[in-house]
Amino acid sequence: KKFEYMEKYDYEQLVFCYDKTSGLKAIICIHDTTLGPALGGTRMWVYENEDDAILDALRLARGMTYKAAAAGLNLGGGKTVIMGDPKKDKSEELWRAFGRYVQSLNGRYITAEDVGTSVEDMDYVAMETDYVTGLSGTSGDPSPMTAFGVYKGMKACCKEVYGSDSLEGKVVAVQGLGHVGYYLCKHIHEEGGKLIVTDIDQERIDKVVKEFGATAVAPDEIYGVECDIFAPCALGAVVNDETIPQFKCRIIAGAANNVLKEERHGDIIHEKGILYAPDYVINAGGLINVYHELLGYNRDNVLRDVAKIYDRILKVIEISKRDNIPTYKAADIMAEERIEKMGRVRSNY
Ligand code: NAD
């Protein structure tokens, strides 16, 4: 049924890579290259079976197409999954064999690190291919850029809901104070917003309470606190049947991936009048950061591009109103419209 699936969602290519020396079993998936080369990290994971691995590669690659298109980047979507245990199965020969496969695609696919792979692994991949990014000694931790984008997107939501994009006096509930959550709290605090925070790591809470005057609550209390904005920055699936009745916010805008447990939860919050900033639009700062490594990294240029997430969120809201649909659907439409229009323009002349 692989070709059927590829036909249904317009996939371009699935590549199976095997190397006897290293035991490499990799599946590279290229979803769409209309806007540019397919970018997407390499995930290493112990999959139950081949079909699970293929499906993961297919789904993740398609997700990357939408994310890049919605971020306004000239990139398509791709992804690699390597079937193996990141703790046991890594070796120089495995990464170099993989690098040779990536090179054989002549730039149609660009890889990077992802779950189960590291910057050091990609340094080996880079010994065999030009088409890898996120290497050691380059731009480093993307989280501050992700946080900056989330902050900008949050402001755009405030503009829509409250008529002003200022966070001054706004109460923001931040779930997860890790790499992104911490920097997000900093931006909110600097603009005069009030923070209610939670984490499962007490040290992280203490730091944010001390530095930004945040109020801490227990992890399961964060959904029901009185606030203007709920910012999920820890885990996915936090908008679900249990949490929706608890929400008192008018905006949900955070860094976490797959915030909606199921699509229908996006429909429910839409009906309740809660504005949801679609995850892959608002958290694209990290991807934009990686993209700039391909262009030649300049921090000011990255900040300028990440700041455009503000307009992207406004655009999503505009489409949501235009078509009378929830924002998570509007985000997909924004991405599809861009791919479709650029595809036409670029094939014309
Ligand atoms: P992180 O691991 O640094 O931080 C996550 C934080 O959440 C940790 O402090 C952890 O203790 C806390 N946490 C875990 N479970 C929790 C719970 N049940 N309740 C409260 N807190 C809990 O991760 P990160 O890099 O800050 O990323 C946060 C989220 O944003 C993730 O979902 C990630 O996929 C997504 N994201 C991150 C980036 C990036 O640039 N780092 C980019 C896009 C999306």
Side-chain angles (χ1 to χ4, degrees):
K1 296 268 176 22
K2 314 259 174 330
F3 280 116
E4 252 173 51
Y5 193 91
M6 289 177 79
E7 190 184 352
K8 186 170 174 198
Y9 294 110
D10 280 333
Y11 284 88
E12 292 181 12
Q13 197 171 6
L14 256 183
V15 188
F16 291 78
C17 315
Y18 173 67
D19 172 64
K20 203 169 188 175
T21 308
S22 61
L24 172 78
K25 284 183 191 157
I27 299 153
I28 302 172
C29 178
I30 296 175
H31 174 248
D32 186 288
T33 58
T34 309
L35 296 174
L39 179 84
T42 295
R43 179 164 291 194
M44 189 166 187
W45 194 257
V46 180
Y47 289 96
E48 293 256 314
N49 54 55
E50 269 173 40
D51 281 349
D52 283 3
I54 296 165
L55 193 60
D56 210 24
L58 286 162
R59 281 199 191 128
L60 292 165
R62 183 162 174 262
M64 288 305 296
T65 299
Y66 280 82
K67 187 164 182 170
L73 305 177
N74 291 320
L75 290 174
K79 200 87 183 184
T80 298
V81 303
I82 294 183
M83 297 179 68
D85 185 341
K87 292 199 192 83
K88 289 194 301 216
D89 299 332
K90 290 183 180 181
S91 62
E92 177 177 358
E93 53 272 26
L94 179 125
W95 294 119
R96 294 185 67 162
F98 173 58
R100 294 181 72 78
Y101 276 110
V102 173
Q103 185 67 11
S104 76
L105 292 168
N106 277 314
R108 278 174 52 69
Y109 169 68
I110 302 170
T111 197
E113 62 179 298
D114 195 70
V115 176
T117 60
S118 68
V119 172
E120 291 74 35
D121 301 334
M122 291 306 130
D123 286 343
Y124 281 128
V125 174
M127 291 176 187
E128 301 293 345
T129 181
D130 306 321
Y131 305 112
V132 53
T133 183
L135 304 170
S136 58
T138 50
S139 68
D141 179 12
S143 310
M145 289 300 173
T146 304
F148 181 60
V150 173
Y151 158 70
K152 285 285 177 182
M154 196 178 267
K155 284 171 73 66
C157 292
C158 284
K159 175 92 184 144
E160 170 66 19
V161 172
Y162 299 108
S164 154
D165 69 11
S166 172
L167 295 181
E168 200 181 345
K170 291 279 173 298
V171 180
V172 189
V174 182
Q175 178 186 45
L177 307 170
H179 288 94
V180 181
Y182 172 80
Y183 290 106
L184 179 63
C185 287
K186 191 166 195 276
H187 287 298
I188 295 165
H189 173 67
E190 281 170 0
E191 202 171 302
K194 294 189 171 47
L195 293 162
I196 302 177
V197 299
T198 197
D199 200 288
I200 47 169
D201 180 336
Q202 189 61 38
E203 258 178 52
R204 294 191 171 166
I205 295 177
D206 293 346
K207 193 166 152 67
V208 172
V209 168
K210 185 162 165 256
E211 290 183 27
F212 311 133
T215 306
V217 298
D220 57 355
E221 283 171 21
I222 197 75
Y223 307 107
V225 297
E226 289 286 349
C227 65
D228 299 297
I229 304 157
F230 170 58
C233 298
L235 345 139
V238 294
V239 174
N240 56 48
D241 292 332
E242 285 74 46
T243 59
I244 291 174
Q246 300 179 46
F247 288 133
K248 299 194 176 66
C249 56
R250 290 183 65 190
I251 296 168
I252 297 177
N257 284 311
N258 306 316
V259 168
L260 305 176
K261 185 165 186 200
E262 293 164 37
E263 289 195 343
R264 68 183 175 86
H265 295 115
D267 302 333
I268 299 171
I269 53 172
H270 179 69
E271 279 154 27
K272 286 180 76 121
I274 299 175
L275 175 58
Y276 165 63
D279 45 11
Y280 71 81
V281 181
I282 196 166
N283 75 16
L287 177 65
I288 295 169
N289 193 63
V290 164
Y291 177 68
H292 275 268
E293 281 189 14
L294 301 170
L295 301 178
Y297 198 82
N298 173 302
R299 195 169 176 274
D300 290 339
N301 290 345
V302 184
L303 283 169
R304 206 191 54 221
D305 257 8
V306 174
K308 290 180 189 160
I309 288 177
Y310 184 99
D311 291 328
R312 298 264 151 203
I313 292 291
L314 290 184
K315 175 104 199 227
V316 167
I317 295 168
E318 187 189 310
I319 294 172
S320 158
K321 288 185 187 168
R322 180 193 77 190
D323 297 354
N324 196 20
I325 49 171
T327 49
Y328 79 89
K329 282 189 184 148
D332 288 358
I333 287 173
M334 177 173 78
E336 284 162 6
E337 284 181 354
R338 180 163 177 259
I339 294 167
E340 203 261 321
K341 283 180 188 161
M342 297 312 138
R344 264 192 281 150
V345 166
R346 297 185 77 203
S347 64
N348 273 350
Y349 314 104

